[in-house]
PDB file of all heavy atoms in Angstrom:
ATOM      1  N   SER A 106       0.847  -1.188   0.000  1.00  0.00           N
ATOM      2  CA  SER A 106       0.000   0.000   0.000  1.00  0.00           C
ATOM      3  C   SER A 106       0.879   1.233   0.000  1.00  0.00           C
ATOM      4  O   SER A 106       2.010   1.204   0.490  1.00  0.00           O
ATOM      5  CB  SER A 106      -0.895   0.022   1.228  1.00  0.00           C
ATOM      6  OG  SER A 106      -0.103   0.056   2.380  1.00  0.00           O
ATOM      7  N   GLN A 107       0.387   2.325  -0.584  1.00  0.00           N
ATOM      8  CA  GLN A 107       1.188   3.522  -0.711  1.00  0.00           C
ATOM      9  C   GLN A 107       0.900   4.443   0.447  1.00  0.00           C
ATOM     10  O   GLN A 107      -0.244   4.794   0.715  1.00  0.00           O
ATOM     11  CB  GLN A 107       0.893   4.189  -2.057  1.00  0.00           C
ATOM     12  CG  GLN A 107       1.464   3.376  -3.205  1.00  0.00           C
ATOM     13  CD  GLN A 107       1.105   3.944  -4.552  1.00  0.00           C
ATOM     14  OE1 GLN A 107       0.010   4.461  -4.727  1.00  0.00           O
ATOM     15  NE2 GLN A 107       2.005   3.879  -5.502  1.00  0.00           N
ATOM     16  N   ASN A 136      10.945  10.576   8.639  1.00  0.00           N
ATOM     17  CA  ASN A 136      11.330  11.606   7.691  1.00  0.00           C
ATOM     18  C   ASN A 136      10.525  11.445   6.419  1.00  0.00           C
ATOM     19  O   ASN A 136       9.886  10.409   6.186  1.00  0.00           O
ATOM     20  CB  ASN A 136      12.841  11.583   7.388  1.00  0.00           C
ATOM     21  CG  ASN A 136      13.286  10.328   6.664  1.00  0.00           C
ATOM     22  OD1 ASN A 136      12.821  10.025   5.571  1.00  0.00           O
ATOM     23  ND2 ASN A 136      14.205   9.588   7.271  1.00  0.00           N
ATOM     24  N   GLN A 138      10.914  12.296   2.178  1.00  0.00           N
ATOM     25  CA  GLN A 138      11.897  12.624   1.156  1.00  0.00           C
ATOM     26  C   GLN A 138      11.189  12.898  -0.171  1.00  0.00           C
ATOM     27  O   GLN A 138      10.136  12.330  -0.444  1.00  0.00           O
ATOM     28  CB  GLN A 138      12.885  11.460   0.986  1.00  0.00           C
ATOM     29  CG  GLN A 138      13.562  11.057   2.285  1.00  0.00           C
ATOM     30  CD  GLN A 138      14.482   9.868   2.137  1.00  0.00           C
ATOM     31  OE1 GLN A 138      15.029   9.624   1.061  1.00  0.00           O
ATOM     32  NE2 GLN A 138      14.669   9.119   3.216  1.00  0.00           N
ATOM     33  N   TYR A 140      11.878  12.873  -4.363  1.00  0.00           N
ATOM     34  CA  TYR A 140      12.737  12.381  -5.431  1.00  0.00           C
ATOM     35  C   TYR A 140      12.218  12.898  -6.769  1.00  0.00           C
ATOM     36  O   TYR A 140      11.026  13.122  -6.941  1.00  0.00           O
ATOM     37  CB  TYR A 140      12.746  10.848  -5.466  1.00  0.00           C
ATOM     38  CG  TYR A 140      13.498  10.209  -4.326  1.00  0.00           C
ATOM     39  CD1 TYR A 140      12.933  10.084  -3.058  1.00  0.00           C
ATOM     40  CD2 TYR A 140      14.791   9.723  -4.516  1.00  0.00           C
ATOM     41  CE1 TYR A 140      13.630   9.485  -2.015  1.00  0.00           C
ATOM     42  CE2 TYR A 140      15.497   9.119  -3.480  1.00  0.00           C
ATOM     43  CZ  TYR A 140      14.903   9.004  -2.238  1.00  0.00           C
ATOM     44  OH  TYR A 140      15.600   8.417  -1.210  1.00  0.00           O
ATOM     45  N   GLN A 142      12.278  12.016 -11.024  1.00  0.00           N
ATOM     46  CA  GLN A 142      12.553  10.995 -12.024  1.00  0.00           C
ATOM     47  C   GLN A 142      12.356  11.595 -13.407  1.00  0.00           C
ATOM     48  O   GLN A 142      11.229  11.943 -13.780  1.00  0.00           O
ATOM     49  CB  GLN A 142      11.640   9.779 -11.854  1.00  0.00           C
ATOM     50  CG  GLN A 142      11.943   8.660 -12.846  1.00  0.00           C
ATOM     51  CD  GLN A 142      11.029   7.465 -12.684  1.00  0.00           C
ATOM     52  OE1 GLN A 142       9.857   7.599 -12.329  1.00  0.00           O
ATOM     53  NE2 GLN A 142      11.551   6.274 -12.926  1.00  0.00           N
ATOM     54  N   ARG A 146      14.486   7.242 -16.670  1.00  0.00           N
ATOM     55  CA  ARG A 146      15.663   7.200 -15.810  1.00  0.00           C
ATOM     56  C   ARG A 146      15.286   6.742 -14.406  1.00  0.00           C
ATOM     57  O   ARG A 146      14.124   6.591 -14.049  1.00  0.00           O
ATOM     58  CB  ARG A 146      16.294   8.598 -15.735  1.00  0.00           C
ATOM     59  CG  ARG A 146      16.592   9.237 -17.075  1.00  0.00           C
ATOM     60  CD  ARG A 146      17.690   8.517 -17.818  1.00  0.00           C
ATOM     61  NE  ARG A 146      18.973   8.676 -17.190  1.00  0.00           N
ATOM     62  CZ  ARG A 146      19.814   9.682 -17.436  1.00  0.00           C
ATOM     63  NH1 ARG A 146      19.481  10.632 -18.275  1.00  0.00           N
ATOM     64  NH2 ARG A 146      20.994   9.734 -16.833  1.00  0.00           N
ATOM     65  N   GLY A 147      16.322   6.530 -13.585  1.00  0.00           N
ATOM     66  CA  GLY A 147      16.088   6.206 -12.185  1.00  0.00           C
ATOM     67  C   GLY A 147      15.736   7.448 -11.382  1.00  0.00           C
ATOM     68  O   GLY A 147      15.753   8.562 -11.888  1.00  0.00           O
ATOM     69  N   LEU A 148      15.394   7.235 -10.117  1.00  0.00           N
ATOM     70  CA  LEU A 148      15.032   8.347  -9.247  1.00  0.00           C
ATOM     71  C   LEU A 148      16.275   8.997  -8.660  1.00  0.00           C
ATOM     72  O   LEU A 148      17.260   8.325  -8.369  1.00  0.00           O
ATOM     73  CB  LEU A 148      14.131   7.867  -8.116  1.00  0.00           C
ATOM     74  CG  LEU A 148      12.653   7.721  -8.446  1.00  0.00           C
ATOM     75  CD1 LEU A 148      12.408   6.529  -9.344  1.00  0.00           C
ATOM     76  CD2 LEU A 148      11.822   7.609  -7.167  1.00  0.00           C
ATOM     77  N   HIS A 150      17.486  11.627  -5.564  1.00  0.00           N
ATOM     78  CA  HIS A 150      17.071  12.258  -4.315  1.00  0.00           C
ATOM     79  C   HIS A 150      17.223  13.773  -4.399  1.00  0.00           C
ATOM     80  O   HIS A 150      18.232  14.283  -4.887  1.00  0.00           O
ATOM     81  CB  HIS A 150      17.931  11.729  -3.167  1.00  0.00           C
ATOM     82  CG  HIS A 150      17.639  12.391  -1.860  1.00  0.00           C
ATOM     83  ND1 HIS A 150      18.443  13.363  -1.314  1.00  0.00           N
ATOM     84  CD2 HIS A 150      16.612  12.236  -1.005  1.00  0.00           C
ATOM     85  CE1 HIS A 150      17.930  13.767  -0.182  1.00  0.00           C
ATOM     86  NE2 HIS A 150      16.820  13.091   0.040  1.00  0.00           N
ATOM     87  N   LEU A 153      15.490  15.873   1.951  1.00  0.00           N
ATOM     88  CA  LEU A 153      14.923  15.098   3.057  1.00  0.00           C
ATOM     89  C   LEU A 153      14.558  16.063   4.161  1.00  0.00           C
ATOM     90  O   LEU A 153      15.342  16.965   4.499  1.00  0.00           O
ATOM     91  CB  LEU A 153      15.939  14.076   3.554  1.00  0.00           C
ATOM     92  CG  LEU A 153      15.577  13.175   4.737  1.00  0.00           C
ATOM     93  CD1 LEU A 153      16.342  11.862   4.643  1.00  0.00           C
ATOM     94  CD2 LEU A 153      15.871  13.829   6.077  1.00  0.00           C
ATOM     95  N   ARG A 155      13.118  15.986   8.181  1.00  0.00           N
ATOM     96  CA  ARG A 155      12.855  15.130   9.335  1.00  0.00           C
ATOM     97  C   ARG A 155      11.529  15.517   9.979  1.00  0.00           C
ATOM     98  O   ARG A 155      11.038  16.631   9.810  1.00  0.00           O
ATOM     99  CB  ARG A 155      13.978  15.253  10.355  1.00  0.00           C
ATOM    100  CG  ARG A 155      15.321  14.860   9.819  1.00  0.00           C
ATOM    101  CD  ARG A 155      16.380  15.042  10.874  1.00  0.00           C
ATOM    102  NE  ARG A 155      17.717  15.021  10.291  1.00  0.00           N
ATOM    103  CZ  ARG A 155      18.825  15.162  10.973  1.00  0.00           C
ATOM    104  NH1 ARG A 155      18.778  15.339  12.271  1.00  0.00           N
ATOM    105  NH2 ARG A 155      19.994  15.130  10.373  1.00  0.00           N
ATOM    106  N   PHE A 193       8.282  12.473  -6.751  1.00  0.00           N
ATOM    107  CA  PHE A 193       7.699  11.518  -5.815  1.00  0.00           C
ATOM    108  C   PHE A 193       8.063  11.885  -4.380  1.00  0.00           C
ATOM    109  O   PHE A 193       9.205  12.264  -4.102  1.00  0.00           O
ATOM    110  CB  PHE A 193       8.232  10.101  -6.083  1.00  0.00           C
ATOM    111  CG  PHE A 193       7.839   9.535  -7.414  1.00  0.00           C
ATOM    112  CD1 PHE A 193       8.629   9.741  -8.531  1.00  0.00           C
ATOM    113  CD2 PHE A 193       6.678   8.777  -7.541  1.00  0.00           C
ATOM    114  CE1 PHE A 193       8.273   9.213  -9.769  1.00  0.00           C
ATOM    115  CE2 PHE A 193       6.316   8.248  -8.781  1.00  0.00           C
ATOM    116  CZ  PHE A 193       7.112   8.467  -9.884  1.00  0.00           C
ATOM    117  N   HIS A 197       9.488   7.495   5.490  1.00  0.00           N
ATOM    118  CA  HIS A 197      10.175   6.491   6.311  1.00  0.00           C
ATOM    119  C   HIS A 197       9.505   6.537   7.672  1.00  0.00           C
ATOM    120  O   HIS A 197       9.489   7.575   8.336  1.00  0.00           O
ATOM    121  CB  HIS A 197      11.653   6.817   6.411  1.00  0.00           C
ATOM    122  CG  HIS A 197      12.416   5.840   7.237  1.00  0.00           C
ATOM    123  ND1 HIS A 197      12.859   6.130   8.506  1.00  0.00           N
ATOM    124  CD2 HIS A 197      12.798   4.563   7.002  1.00  0.00           C
ATOM    125  CE1 HIS A 197      13.492   5.084   8.995  1.00  0.00           C
ATOM    126  NE2 HIS A 197      13.465   4.121   8.104  1.00  0.00           N
ATOM    127  N   ARG A 202      12.197  -0.698   7.813  1.00  0.00           N
ATOM    128  CA  ARG A 202      13.462  -0.556   7.099  1.00  0.00           C
ATOM    129  C   ARG A 202      13.205  -0.349   5.621  1.00  0.00           C
ATOM    130  O   ARG A 202      13.805  -0.995   4.783  1.00  0.00           O
ATOM    131  CB  ARG A 202      14.312  -1.801   7.333  1.00  0.00           C
ATOM    132  CG  ARG A 202      14.772  -1.930   8.767  1.00  0.00           C
ATOM    133  CD  ARG A 202      15.449  -3.253   9.001  1.00  0.00           C
ATOM    134  NE  ARG A 202      16.223  -3.224  10.232  1.00  0.00           N
ATOM    135  CZ  ARG A 202      16.905  -4.251  10.703  1.00  0.00           C
ATOM    136  NH1 ARG A 202      16.921  -5.386  10.032  1.00  0.00           N
ATOM    137  NH2 ARG A 202      17.590  -4.157  11.810  1.00  0.00           N
ATOM    138  N   GLN A 203      12.291   0.531   5.321  1.00  0.00           N
ATOM    139  CA  GLN A 203      11.973   0.762   3.926  1.00  0.00           C
ATOM    140  C   GLN A 203      11.310   2.106   3.773  1.00  0.00           C
ATOM    141  O   GLN A 203      10.713   2.652   4.693  1.00  0.00           O
ATOM    142  CB  GLN A 203      11.041  -0.337   3.414  1.00  0.00           C
ATOM    143  CG  GLN A 203       9.810  -0.553   4.259  1.00  0.00           C
ATOM    144  CD  GLN A 203       9.017  -1.772   3.852  1.00  0.00           C
ATOM    145  OE1 GLN A 203       8.199  -1.697   2.948  1.00  0.00           O
ATOM    146  NE2 GLN A 203       9.246  -2.885   4.496  1.00  0.00           N
ATOM    147  N   GLY A 207       4.907   7.489  -2.962  1.00  0.00           N
ATOM    148  CA  GLY A 207       3.627   7.859  -3.531  1.00  0.00           C
ATOM    149  C   GLY A 207       3.620   7.625  -5.026  1.00  0.00           C
ATOM    150  O   GLY A 207       4.606   7.150  -5.602  1.00  0.00           O
ATOM    151  N   SER A 208       2.512   7.995  -5.665  1.00  0.00           N
ATOM    152  CA  SER A 208       2.341   7.711  -7.090  1.00  0.00           C
ATOM    153  C   SER A 208       2.887   8.813  -7.989  1.00  0.00           C
ATOM    154  O   SER A 208       2.944   8.650  -9.196  1.00  0.00           O
ATOM    155  CB  SER A 208       0.866   7.461  -7.402  1.00  0.00           C
ATOM    156  OG  SER A 208       0.096   8.544  -6.937  1.00  0.00           O
TER     157      SER A 208
ATOM    158  N   TYR B1104      22.480  -1.144   2.916  1.00  0.00           N
ATOM    159  CA  TYR B1104      21.092  -1.398   2.552  1.00  0.00           C
ATOM    160  C   TYR B1104      20.943  -1.407   1.037  1.00  0.00           C
ATOM    161  O   TYR B1104      21.401  -0.489   0.366  1.00  0.00           O
ATOM    162  CB  TYR B1104      20.217  -0.307   3.157  1.00  0.00           C
ATOM    163  CG  TYR B1104      18.728  -0.480   2.949  1.00  0.00           C
ATOM    164  CD1 TYR B1104      17.945  -1.150   3.870  1.00  0.00           C
ATOM    165  CD2 TYR B1104      18.098   0.063   1.831  1.00  0.00           C
ATOM    166  CE1 TYR B1104      16.578  -1.295   3.697  1.00  0.00           C
ATOM    167  CE2 TYR B1104      16.744  -0.076   1.643  1.00  0.00           C
ATOM    168  CZ  TYR B1104      15.987  -0.752   2.581  1.00  0.00           C
ATOM    169  OH  TYR B1104      14.639  -0.889   2.400  1.00  0.00           O
ATOM    170  N   TYR B1108      12.748  -2.425  -6.373  1.00  0.00           N
ATOM    171  CA  TYR B1108      11.415  -1.893  -6.560  1.00  0.00           C
ATOM    172  C   TYR B1108      10.947  -2.241  -7.967  1.00  0.00           C
ATOM    173  O   TYR B1108      11.745  -2.405  -8.880  1.00  0.00           O
ATOM    174  CB  TYR B1108      11.396  -0.373  -6.439  1.00  0.00           C
ATOM    175  CG  TYR B1108      11.748   0.191  -5.079  1.00  0.00           C
ATOM    176  CD1 TYR B1108      13.074   0.441  -4.735  1.00  0.00           C
ATOM    177  CD2 TYR B1108      10.755   0.501  -4.159  1.00  0.00           C
ATOM    178  CE1 TYR B1108      13.402   0.984  -3.501  1.00  0.00           C
ATOM    179  CE2 TYR B1108      11.073   1.052  -2.917  1.00  0.00           C
ATOM    180  CZ  TYR B1108      12.396   1.281  -2.603  1.00  0.00           C
ATOM    181  OH  TYR B1108      12.709   1.815  -1.380  1.00  0.00           O
ATOM    182  N   GLN B1110       8.205  -0.530 -10.858  1.00  0.00           N
ATOM    183  CA  GLN B1110       7.399   0.649 -11.166  1.00  0.00           C
ATOM    184  C   GLN B1110       6.538   0.337 -12.365  1.00  0.00           C
ATOM    185  O   GLN B1110       7.025   0.029 -13.445  1.00  0.00           O
ATOM    186  CB  GLN B1110       8.288   1.859 -11.476  1.00  0.00           C
ATOM    187  CG  GLN B1110       7.491   3.136 -11.711  1.00  0.00           C
ATOM    188  CD  GLN B1110       8.370   4.343 -11.962  1.00  0.00           C
ATOM    189  OE1 GLN B1110       9.441   4.240 -12.557  1.00  0.00           O
ATOM    190  NE2 GLN B1110       7.931   5.510 -11.503  1.00  0.00           N
ATOM    191  N   GLY B1115       3.802   4.863  -8.487  1.00  0.00           N
ATOM    192  CA  GLY B1115       5.053   5.007  -7.772  1.00  0.00           C
ATOM    193  C   GLY B1115       5.777   3.681  -7.712  1.00  0.00           C
ATOM    194  O   GLY B1115       5.467   2.737  -8.429  1.00  0.00           O
ATOM    195  N   LEU B1118       8.009  -1.814  -3.250  1.00  0.00           N
ATOM    196  CA  LEU B1118       9.166  -2.556  -2.775  1.00  0.00           C
ATOM    197  C   LEU B1118       8.950  -4.050  -2.926  1.00  0.00           C
ATOM    198  O   LEU B1118       7.929  -4.589  -2.480  1.00  0.00           O
ATOM    199  CB  LEU B1118       9.430  -2.201  -1.309  1.00  0.00           C
ATOM    200  CG  LEU B1118      10.664  -2.814  -0.667  1.00  0.00           C
ATOM    201  CD1 LEU B1118      11.934  -2.287  -1.318  1.00  0.00           C
ATOM    202  CD2 LEU B1118      10.670  -2.532   0.826  1.00  0.00           C
ATOM    203  N   TYR B1121      14.271  -6.425   0.144  1.00  0.00           N
ATOM    204  CA  TYR B1121      15.362  -5.568   0.552  1.00  0.00           C
ATOM    205  C   TYR B1121      16.351  -6.360   1.400  1.00  0.00           C
ATOM    206  O   TYR B1121      16.061  -7.485   1.851  1.00  0.00           O
ATOM    207  CB  TYR B1121      14.864  -4.334   1.302  1.00  0.00           C
ATOM    208  CG  TYR B1121      14.177  -4.621   2.622  1.00  0.00           C
ATOM    209  CD1 TYR B1121      14.875  -4.572   3.826  1.00  0.00           C
ATOM    210  CD2 TYR B1121      12.812  -4.906   2.667  1.00  0.00           C
ATOM    211  CE1 TYR B1121      14.242  -4.810   5.033  1.00  0.00           C
ATOM    212  CE2 TYR B1121      12.177  -5.143   3.871  1.00  0.00           C
ATOM    213  CZ  TYR B1121      12.885  -5.100   5.045  1.00  0.00           C
ATOM    214  OH  TYR B1121      12.255  -5.340   6.233  1.00  0.00           O
ATOM    215  N   VAL B1123      19.493  -5.694   4.492  1.00  0.00           N
ATOM    216  CA  VAL B1123      20.149  -4.742   5.404  1.00  0.00           C
ATOM    217  C   VAL B1123      21.616  -5.088   5.597  1.00  0.00           C
ATOM    218  O   VAL B1123      22.299  -4.458   6.405  1.00  0.00           O
ATOM    219  CB  VAL B1123      19.423  -4.667   6.757  1.00  0.00           C
ATOM    220  CG1 VAL B1123      17.981  -4.199   6.554  1.00  0.00           C
ATOM    221  CG2 VAL B1123      19.454  -5.998   7.473  1.00  0.00           C
ATOM    222  N   GLU B1132       6.673  -5.189  -0.132  1.00  0.00           N
ATOM    223  CA  GLU B1132       5.228  -5.165  -0.345  1.00  0.00           C
ATOM    224  C   GLU B1132       4.756  -6.212  -1.354  1.00  0.00           C
ATOM    225  O   GLU B1132       3.670  -6.775  -1.229  1.00  0.00           O
ATOM    226  CB  GLU B1132       4.837  -3.764  -0.832  1.00  0.00           C
ATOM    227  CG  GLU B1132       3.351  -3.543  -1.081  1.00  0.00           C
ATOM    228  CD  GLU B1132       3.076  -2.177  -1.687  1.00  0.00           C
ATOM    229  OE1 GLU B1132       4.015  -1.346  -1.792  1.00  0.00           O
ATOM    230  OE2 GLU B1132       1.911  -1.934  -2.078  1.00  0.00           O
ATOM    231  N   PHE B1163      13.835  -1.254 -10.506  1.00  0.00           N
ATOM    232  CA  PHE B1163      14.895  -0.384 -10.015  1.00  0.00           C
ATOM    233  C   PHE B1163      15.540  -1.003  -8.789  1.00  0.00           C
ATOM    234  O   PHE B1163      14.859  -1.477  -7.881  1.00  0.00           O
ATOM    235  CB  PHE B1163      14.354   0.997  -9.646  1.00  0.00           C
ATOM    236  CG  PHE B1163      13.933   1.810 -10.824  1.00  0.00           C
ATOM    237  CD1 PHE B1163      12.602   1.893 -11.184  1.00  0.00           C
ATOM    238  CD2 PHE B1163      14.878   2.500 -11.570  1.00  0.00           C
ATOM    239  CE1 PHE B1163      12.207   2.649 -12.285  1.00  0.00           C
ATOM    240  CE2 PHE B1163      14.495   3.261 -12.670  1.00  0.00           C
ATOM    241  CZ  PHE B1163      13.162   3.328 -13.027  1.00  0.00           C
ATOM    242  N   SER B1170      20.493   1.120   7.145  1.00  0.00           N
ATOM    243  CA  SER B1170      19.189   0.502   6.926  1.00  0.00           C
ATOM    244  C   SER B1170      18.037   1.227   7.583  1.00  0.00           C
ATOM    245  O   SER B1170      16.987   0.676   7.756  1.00  0.00           O
ATOM    246  CB  SER B1170      19.214  -0.939   7.422  1.00  0.00           C
ATOM    247  OG  SER B1170      19.479  -0.972   8.808  1.00  0.00           O
ATOM    248  N   GLY B1171      18.218   2.445   7.924  1.00  0.00           N
ATOM    249  CA  GLY B1171      17.046   3.105   8.496  1.00  0.00           C
ATOM    250  C   GLY B1171      17.360   4.345   9.290  1.00  0.00           C
ATOM    251  O   GLY B1171      16.516   4.838  10.018  1.00  0.00           O
ATOM    252  N   THR B1173      17.774   8.192  10.178  1.00  0.00           N
ATOM    253  CA  THR B1173      16.810   9.240   9.867  1.00  0.00           C
ATOM    254  C   THR B1173      17.285  10.169   8.771  1.00  0.00           C
ATOM    255  O   THR B1173      16.506  10.987   8.286  1.00  0.00           O
ATOM    256  CB  THR B1173      16.494  10.069  11.116  1.00  0.00           C
ATOM    257  OG1 THR B1173      17.720  10.589  11.641  1.00  0.00           O
ATOM    258  CG2 THR B1173      15.820   9.228  12.166  1.00  0.00           C
ATOM    259  N   THR B1174      18.525  10.064   8.377  1.00  0.00           N
ATOM    260  CA  THR B1174      19.007  10.925   7.300  1.00  0.00           C
ATOM    261  C   THR B1174      19.357  10.131   6.045  1.00  0.00           C
ATOM    262  O   THR B1174      19.928  10.656   5.124  1.00  0.00           O
ATOM    263  CB  THR B1174      20.257  11.719   7.728  1.00  0.00           C
ATOM    264  OG1 THR B1174      21.274  10.787   8.120  1.00  0.00           O
ATOM    265  CG2 THR B1174      19.931  12.641   8.877  1.00  0.00           C
ATOM    266  N   ASP B1175      18.997   8.857   6.030  1.00  0.00           N
ATOM    267  CA  ASP B1175      19.378   8.046   4.884  1.00  0.00           C
ATOM    268  C   ASP B1175      18.583   8.395   3.650  1.00  0.00           C
ATOM    269  O   ASP B1175      17.366   8.543   3.699  1.00  0.00           O
ATOM    270  CB  ASP B1175      19.170   6.568   5.191  1.00  0.00           C
ATOM    271  CG  ASP B1175      20.361   5.984   5.926  1.00  0.00           C
ATOM    272  OD1 ASP B1175      21.437   6.606   5.868  1.00  0.00           O
ATOM    273  OD2 ASP B1175      20.206   4.934   6.535  1.00  0.00           O
ATOM    274  N   THR B1176      19.271   8.507   2.527  1.00  0.00           N
ATOM    275  CA  THR B1176      18.598   8.658   1.252  1.00  0.00           C
ATOM    276  C   THR B1176      19.030   7.520   0.359  1.00  0.00           C
ATOM    277  O   THR B1176      20.072   6.905   0.579  1.00  0.00           O
ATOM    278  CB  THR B1176      18.964   9.991   0.580  1.00  0.00           C
ATOM    279  OG1 THR B1176      20.378  10.000   0.332  1.00  0.00           O
ATOM    280  CG2 THR B1176      18.606  11.158   1.463  1.00  0.00           C
ATOM    281  N   GLN B1177      18.238   7.234  -0.630  1.00  0.00           N
ATOM    282  CA  GLN B1177      18.517   6.099  -1.482  1.00  0.00           C
ATOM    283  C   GLN B1177      19.081   6.546  -2.825  1.00  0.00           C
ATOM    284  O   GLN B1177      18.680   7.560  -3.384  1.00  0.00           O
ATOM    285  CB  GLN B1177      17.265   5.248  -1.685  1.00  0.00           C
ATOM    286  CG  GLN B1177      16.790   4.622  -0.383  1.00  0.00           C
ATOM    287  CD  GLN B1177      15.962   3.371  -0.587  1.00  0.00           C
ATOM    288  OE1 GLN B1177      15.979   2.760  -1.626  1.00  0.00           O
ATOM    289  NE2 GLN B1177      15.225   3.002   0.450  1.00  0.00           N
ATOM    290  N   PHE B1179      19.575   5.345  -6.691  1.00  0.00           N
ATOM    291  CA  PHE B1179      18.907   4.418  -7.598  1.00  0.00           C
ATOM    292  C   PHE B1179      19.757   4.097  -8.818  1.00  0.00           C
ATOM    293  O   PHE B1179      20.507   4.946  -9.325  1.00  0.00           O
ATOM    294  CB  PHE B1179      17.580   5.012  -8.076  1.00  0.00           C
ATOM    295  CG  PHE B1179      16.490   4.907  -7.059  1.00  0.00           C
ATOM    296  CD1 PHE B1179      16.382   5.821  -6.034  1.00  0.00           C
ATOM    297  CD2 PHE B1179      15.571   3.870  -7.131  1.00  0.00           C
ATOM    298  CE1 PHE B1179      15.379   5.715  -5.079  1.00  0.00           C
ATOM    299  CE2 PHE B1179      14.559   3.759  -6.187  1.00  0.00           C
ATOM    300  CZ  PHE B1179      14.471   4.677  -5.161  1.00  0.00           C
ATOM    301  N   GLY B1180      19.608   2.868  -9.296  1.00  0.00           N
ATOM    302  CA  GLY B1180      20.177   2.501 -10.566  1.00  0.00           C
ATOM    303  C   GLY B1180      19.302   2.998 -11.700  1.00  0.00           C
ATOM    304  O   GLY B1180      18.219   3.547 -11.474  1.00  0.00           O
TER     305      GLY B1180
END
Side-chain angles (χ1 to χ4, degrees):
Chain A
S106 61
Q107 289 176 324
N136 66 60
Q138 305 177 28
Y140 288 79
Q142 183 181 33
R146 307 292 291 272
L148 278 72
H150 176 257
L153 178 152
R155 300 179 196 180
F193 295 89
H197 180 254
R202 293 173 163 179
Q203 52 189 275
S208 54
Chain B
Y1104 184 91
Y1108 295 87
Q1110 184 178 34
L1118 184 65
Y1121 64 95
V1123 300
E1132 181 186 353
F1163 290 99
S1170 62
T1173 56
T1174 58
D1175 276 341
T1176 62
Q1177 296 204 18
F1179 282 82

